[in-house]
């Protein structure tokens, strides 16, 4: 059984590519069901955030990656061949290392961000609830959560409040010299919106307005931070009245279009409007950039804002990597041991199969033997086979404690041509 990862992230693909492969939370259960039912994959989990879309799979052999590509083409309606330059594909130890880096926050746009660990946990819980994370992926994700917790407890990688939301508010603070005189509109009242609301209040905005498709949720969030809930239907009017707009909804299509912004800008009479879209898929039509005095930034534009954060924490990456190396050894020992049982079973079956074939070949000559003598011959063959297998079996068990044991176990399987006992050796 192999662990496989197929994905893309903020380093390999721009936001306009990432949003095409995003998996909304409500769509993930059906997607997981299709992966294990229709694409011959034993286990599956989907990690989809504003910065990445990744499939984690347990499959027999490397064909699982081909099946994952076919799934993306059929499920997301994209030409996967044209996206190959954006994908990374990983297997076994490389897949584990990658997920450990993700959970620890050192693979994030905002180094050490706090939100990714809860997103990894939610990915596991969703896969567990839908029966697509069983032995292998359950263990992998549980250990990745342990890495993430250790990284934040034993290093300063997560010092302070770090997230895409903090970067967005910091960008707004850089643009407006006196953000305390600004009126801010928050579009979206989910977890990301809640974080953003807190940081806007901490930054000292003069007024916070919150809108959401579910009015009750907007009212709840606004009340918590002393803001004002405004109707979602009045979004265009609000665009005309505020200075800063930050969007973070889970919508699959833009909630602020080009036409609404043109109308709002006409009402503003030339006053500039500053918008930050931190959603994937994007909430604001990118064509808004063509409108005079509209300054639109998306999640990829936050790179410069977070560069200083990365420099401050470069030294912590080495400490986190040491934790990853430590936890990887433990995981690989478990993973390798998982493979020894089936391998030992297959090797014994191969020996028994060959023994039976040889007895069949010599049936005519053995007919003259008594039943006792025939049984003696069979016992000699078994004893000889057991002696031949003794040292390989000892080595197989040793490989479970080797960091690269999964490679050696695969070599043993290939050397003994295990997996297809139906093949006849014509020699």
């Amino acid at each position: 059984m192999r662990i496989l990862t197929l994905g893309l992230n903020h380093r390999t693909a721009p936001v306009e590519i990432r949003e095409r492969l995003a998996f909304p939370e409500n769509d993930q259960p059906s997607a997981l069901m299709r992966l294990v039912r229709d694409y011959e994959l034993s286990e599956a989990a989907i990690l989809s955030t504003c910065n990445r879309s990744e499939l984690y799979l347990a499959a027999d052999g490397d064909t699982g990656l081909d099946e994952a590509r076919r799934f993306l083409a059929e499920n997301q309606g994209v030409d996967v061949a044209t996206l190959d330059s954006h994908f990374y594909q990983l297997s076994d130890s490389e897949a584990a290392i990658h997920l450990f880096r993700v959970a620890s926050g050192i693979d994030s746009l905002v180094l050490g961000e706090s939100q990714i660990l809860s997103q990894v946990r939610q990915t596991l819980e969703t896969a567990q609830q839908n029966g697509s994370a069983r032995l292998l992926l359950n263990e992998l994700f549980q250990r990745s959560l342990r890495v993430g917790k250790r990284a934040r407890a034993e290093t300063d990688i997560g010092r302070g409040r770090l997230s895409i939301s903090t970067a967005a508010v910091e960008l707004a603070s850089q643009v407006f010299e006196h953000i305390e005189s600004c009126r801010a509109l928050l579009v979206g009242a989910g977890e990301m919106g809640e974080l953003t609301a807190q940081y806007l209040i901490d930054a000292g905005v003069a007024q916070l307005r919150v809108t959401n498709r579910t009015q009750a949720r907007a009212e709840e969030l606004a009340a918590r931070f002393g803001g004002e809930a405004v109707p979602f239907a009045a979004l265009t009017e609000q665009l005309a009245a505020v200075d800063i707009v930050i969007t973070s909804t889970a919508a699959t299509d833009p909630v602020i279009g080009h036409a609404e912004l043109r109308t709002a800008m006409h009402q503003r009479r030339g006053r500039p409007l500053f918008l930050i879209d931190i959603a994937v898929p994007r909430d604001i039509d990118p064509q808004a950039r063509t409108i005079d005095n509209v300054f639109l930034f998306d999640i990829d534009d936050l790179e410069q804002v977070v560069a200083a954060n990365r420099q401050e924490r470069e030294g912590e990456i080495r400490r986190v990597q040491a934790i990853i190396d430590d936890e990887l050894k433990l995981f690989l020992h478990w993973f390798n041991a998982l493979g020894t049982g089936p391998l030992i079973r297959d090797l014994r079956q191969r020996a028994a199969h060959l023994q039976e074939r040889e007895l069949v070949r010599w049936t005519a000559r053995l007919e003259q033997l008594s039943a006792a003598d025939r049984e003696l011959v069979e016992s000699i063959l078994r004893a000889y086979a057991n002696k031949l297998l003794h040292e390989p079996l000892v080595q197989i068990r040793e490989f479970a404690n080797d960091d690269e044991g999964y490679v050696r176990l695969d070599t043993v399987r290939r050397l003994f041509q295990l997996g297809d006992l139906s093949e006849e050796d014509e020699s």
Side-chain angles (χ1 to χ4, degrees):
M1 189 69 70
R2 306 293 303 274
I3 301 173
L4 304 171
T5 300
L6 180 68
L8 46 77
N9 62 18
H10 60 282
R11 291 192 184 89
T12 68
V15 64
E16 56 265 27
I17 297 296
R18 299 201 305 275
E19 66 184 0
R20 295 167 63 190
L21 293 177
F23 287 86
E25 187 175 338
N26 292 339
D27 293 346
Q28 289 189 23
S30 59
L32 291 170
M33 185 180 299
R34 285 193 294 274
L35 272 168
V36 297
R37 182 191 63 201
D38 301 335
Y39 295 87
E40 299 180 359
L41 298 167
S42 300
E43 300 181 44
I46 299 172
L47 178 58
S48 184
T49 73
C50 55
N51 284 324
R52 68 186 68 249
S53 286
E54 298 174 339
L55 302 180
Y56 290 86
L57 314 167
D60 291 321
D62 295 326
T63 57
L65 290 171
D66 295 332
E67 290 300 293
R69 281 182 165 81
R70 187 165 70 89
F71 164 76
L72 290 176
E74 296 173 356
N75 191 77
Q76 302 298 93
V78 297
D79 183 356
V80 175
T82 65
L83 302 181
D84 259 353
S85 61
H86 300 290
F87 282 124
Y88 41 84
Q89 57 183 53
L90 309 165
S91 61
D92 300 325
S93 63
E94 290 181 345
I97 291 171
H98 177 75
L99 183 57
F100 290 175
R101 288 177 59 85
V102 170
S104 66
I106 63 174
D107 194 64
S108 297
L109 174 64
V110 180
L111 195 65
E113 65 157 311
S114 56
Q115 200 171 7
I116 186 62
L117 193 58
S118 64
Q119 291 168 331
V120 171
R121 182 180 293 107
Q122 183 59 54
T123 293
L124 173 59
E125 290 176 357
T126 300
Q128 288 175 330
Q129 291 166 3
N130 290 277
S132 66
R134 294 184 289 276
L135 178 63
L136 203 53
L137 291 190
N138 179 70
E139 187 71 20
L140 175 64
F141 272 80
Q142 293 286 5
R143 290 180 184 260
S144 74
L145 292 173
R146 174 179 167 81
V147 169
K149 292 175 183 176
R150 284 191 59 189
R152 288 161 178 81
E154 299 174 24
T155 77
D156 287 334
I157 195 68
R159 184 180 68 253
R161 294 181 300 180
L162 302 170
S163 68
I164 294 298
S165 298
T166 59
V169 175
E170 185 177 341
L171 178 59
S173 299
Q174 292 177 6
V175 171
F176 291 94
E177 184 177 356
H178 301 291
I179 195 171
E180 62 272 10
S181 64
C182 294
R183 291 162 295 183
L185 172 65
L186 179 60
V187 183
E191 182 180 358
M192 188 84 79
E194 185 173 341
L195 288 171
T196 307
Q198 180 65 67
Y199 301 141
L200 284 168
I201 293 299
D202 291 347
V205 292
Q207 187 183 53
L208 173 65
R209 301 180 184 182
V210 181
T211 190
N212 192 65
R213 289 191 187 277
T214 304
Q215 180 69 12
R217 176 59 182 152
E219 292 173 355
E220 176 189 344
L221 187 59
R224 190 183 313 169
F225 295 101
E228 176 189 356
V230 296
F232 193 80
L235 186 54
T236 302
E237 297 173 21
Q238 295 300 320
L239 293 175
V242 299
D243 306 296
I244 303 168
V245 179
I246 301 181
T247 67
S248 61
T249 79
T252 56
D253 296 306
V255 296
I256 299 178
H258 186 270
E260 291 93 335
L261 277 169
R262 287 191 65 86
T263 300
M265 293 309 294
H266 178 72
Q267 296 173 6
R268 294 177 71 87
R269 300 183 183 280
R271 286 188 300 113
L273 180 61
F274 179 74
L275 305 104
I276 309 177
D277 185 352
I278 57 177
V280 177
R282 288 171 289 183
D283 282 331
I284 304 174
D285 184 347
Q287 291 302 312
R289 288 190 172 95
T290 64
I291 303 174
D292 290 342
N293 293 318
V294 169
F295 299 92
L296 171 61
F297 299 83
D298 61 35
I299 196 166
D300 285 353
D301 295 319
L302 299 180
E303 186 70 48
Q304 292 182 344
V305 177
V306 303
N309 160 264
R310 178 166 290 275
Q311 287 182 344
E312 290 176 2
R313 286 173 165 75
E314 283 292 342
E316 297 304 308
I317 294 179
R318 290 189 293 273
R319 297 178 63 193
V320 172
Q321 190 59 55
I323 293 173
I324 291 174
D325 293 343
D326 181 37
E327 293 290 341
L328 179 66
K329 288 181 181 179
L330 296 175
F331 175 71
L332 289 181
H333 291 171
W334 176 87
F335 183 43
N336 296 339
L338 195 65
T340 59
L343 180 55
I344 290 172
R345 178 202 63 210
D346 290 349
L347 191 54
R348 290 189 183 279
Q349 285 181 352
R350 170 65 74 183
H353 176 69
L354 293 175
Q355 174 186 317
E356 183 62 29
R357 279 180 44 205
E358 290 305 305
L359 286 172
V360 170
R361 287 177 60 185
W362 289 87
T363 296
R365 298 190 182 187
L366 293 178
E367 284 181 349
Q368 60 187 351
L369 297 179
S370 65
D373 287 340
R374 182 184 172 90
E375 185 176 338
L376 177 62
V377 170
E378 292 179 4
S379 65
I380 291 173
L381 278 175
R382 282 195 299 270
Y384 184 64
N386 288 336
K387 286 183 179 180
L388 285 177
L389 289 178
H390 175 72
E391 191 58 33
L393 293 179
V394 170
Q395 291 299 314
I396 286 172
R397 293 186 178 95
E398 288 296 321
F399 291 161
N401 297 316
D402 191 319
D403 294 345
E404 296 296 322
Y406 69 95
V407 176
R408 301 188 182 208
L409 292 173
D410 187 58
T411 300
V412 171
R413 186 171 290 280
R414 292 172 185 272
L415 282 173
F416 287 94
Q417 297 180 323
L418 302 179
D420 187 2
L421 299 181
S422 64
E423 281 190 7
E424 293 295 330
D425 184 359
E426 297 298 336
S427 62

